[in-house]
Amino acid sequence: MTFQKVDKQELLNLFKSNKINTLSELKAALNTNSSMTIFRKLKEIEYISSYSHRGKYYSLFDIADFDHYGLWSYQSVWFSKYGNLVETVNDFIDNSTAGYSAKELESILHVEVKHALLNLFKKNRVEREKFDKVYVYFSKDKKKYRSQRLVRKDQVADIYLDLTCEIDKHSHELKAAIVLFFSLLDEKQRRLFAGLESFKMGHGGDKRIADLLGLDVHTVAKGRTELFAENVEIERTRKKGAGRKPVEKKTPKVIKEIERLMKYETAGDPITGLKWTRKTTQKIAAELKSIDIKVSPNTGRKAFKRNEIFIARQL
């Protein structure tokens, strides 16, 4: 391979045609295998390296269109005006109003940050404290740390200010009052109430409310979705066609079995057409259970009504 001196203008032109490049792509385009030569020329034109993809990509400050966070993304590759991932995370924490948790940072930076945070903490560059079982990272500057910590405590207090506030720390009496109130609501009201309180709690609210009120997590999530989508039918508890199907519709043979059992247990008046039986609905339910058909006495009562049979009372 023939080596040639790398011209700065040639490098600038390369970035104009391809906004981001890897080191291998730069070497191939400039016909050199010297990394030192490439980096020496990159320094002359104020380059930046990506904090995503392990710093694999390079671009120029003049090309980057940084957002209000100081971040820029091109073809799903992320760059920061603060430098690599560790320095970016440190700068975010240092200039935050209430510190950051790993999840909060990841939602902004779009990359995993746990290793960067651990690196900063081990090197004593940030403070760390648990809030609601989650680590929150603060500035090492004492004045900033005190301010950030106070704001974070206020935020946590605001999140749980209503009846869902710090559920685990509430008195048994208050928990009992919440559950009692909940029991007075109908099915739809319970679902919507649970969804609203879950929304107030934020992350993890569905599970905590479900545990408190004895609901399925999906029911809480459904209530929250319905409420904020304004998808609520005022006059109905359930949507039309919803709810459990009657056992006689779900299992048609149940009614036929009941009628079979009643065939020789029913008497009647040929003049009035009245029919009666001494077999109770509880006995019918027990007999059906013996042939692996589980129904409530109420199902037997429906069969009686359907066939206009009355239960005879012993005097």
Side-chain angles (χ1 to χ4, degrees), residues 41-171:
K41 290 299 178 182
L42 283 173
K43 287 180 181 179
E44 293 178 12
I45 56 177
E46 293 188 285
Y47 79 100
I48 53 174
S49 59
S50 64
Y51 67 78
S52 68
H53 300 79
R54 298 184 178 182
K56 178 181 176 181
Y57 290 89
Y58 300 88
S59 189
L60 305 180
F61 264 102
D62 291 341
I63 291 174
D65 183 19
F66 294 114
D67 62 18
H68 65 286
Y69 285 120
L71 308 177
W72 173 57
S73 174
Y74 184 77
Q75 295 180 350
S76 299
V77 179
W78 286 89
F79 296 82
S80 165
K81 68 179 183 182
Y82 308 111
N84 60 29
L85 181 58
V86 171
E87 296 306 320
T88 299
V89 168
N90 185 63
D91 200 276
F92 267 68
I93 292 170
D94 194 54
N95 291 291
S96 68
T97 57
Y100 280 109
S101 66
K103 188 169 184 178
E104 290 168 345
L105 281 169
E106 287 172 358
S107 69
I108 299 171
L109 299 176
H110 307 282
V111 295
E112 190 269 334
V113 300
K114 290 181 180 178
H115 293 297
L117 287 169
L118 189 59
N119 180 307
L120 289 167
F121 181 70
K122 285 184 174 180
K123 291 183 178 179
N124 202 30
R125 295 180 63 186
V126 295
E127 296 286 353
R128 185 175 77 173
E129 187 175 342
K130 272 190 175 181
F131 281 81
D132 195 28
K133 301 179 182 180
V134 175
Y135 277 121
V136 178
Y137 296 82
F138 302 100
S139 172
K140 193 65 183 176
D141 181 274
K142 290 183 178 180
K143 188 176 180 180
K144 288 183 178 179
Y145 168 64
R146 285 195 296 269
S147 174
Q148 291 172 346
R149 188 174 179 277
L150 283 172
V151 174
R152 174 64 64 162
K153 287 183 74 175
D154 286 342
Q155 287 180 350
V156 172
D158 287 343
I159 290 172
Y160 303 112
L161 188 59
D162 291 301
L163 71 90
T164 50
C165 65
E166 304 279 359
I167 282 179
D168 295 333
K169 298 179 183 178
H170 273 322
S171 66

Side-chain angles (χ1 to χ4, degrees), residues 32-43:
T32 180
N33 63 356
S34 173
S35 298
M36 292 299 295
T37 299
I38 296 295
F39 282 119
R40 188 169 59 250
K41 290 299 178 182
L42 283 173
K43 287 180 181 179

Side-chain angles (χ1 to χ4, degrees), residues 254-255 257-262 265-266 277-291 293-297 299-301 303-304 309 311:
V254 169
I255 297 298
E257 284 294 331
I258 292 174
E259 290 172 350
R260 181 183 66 78
L261 290 172
M262 297 301 300
E265 299 288 340
T266 305
T277 181
R278 292 186 181 278
K279 190 181 284 290
T280 65
T281 55
Q282 285 81 5
K283 287 182 179 179
I284 290 175
E287 289 185 33
L288 288 173
K289 187 176 181 181
S290 67
I291 56 173
I293 299 178
K294 295 180 181 180
V295 297
S296 70
T299 303
R301 195 171 292 112
F304 287 1
I309 300 173
I311 298 175

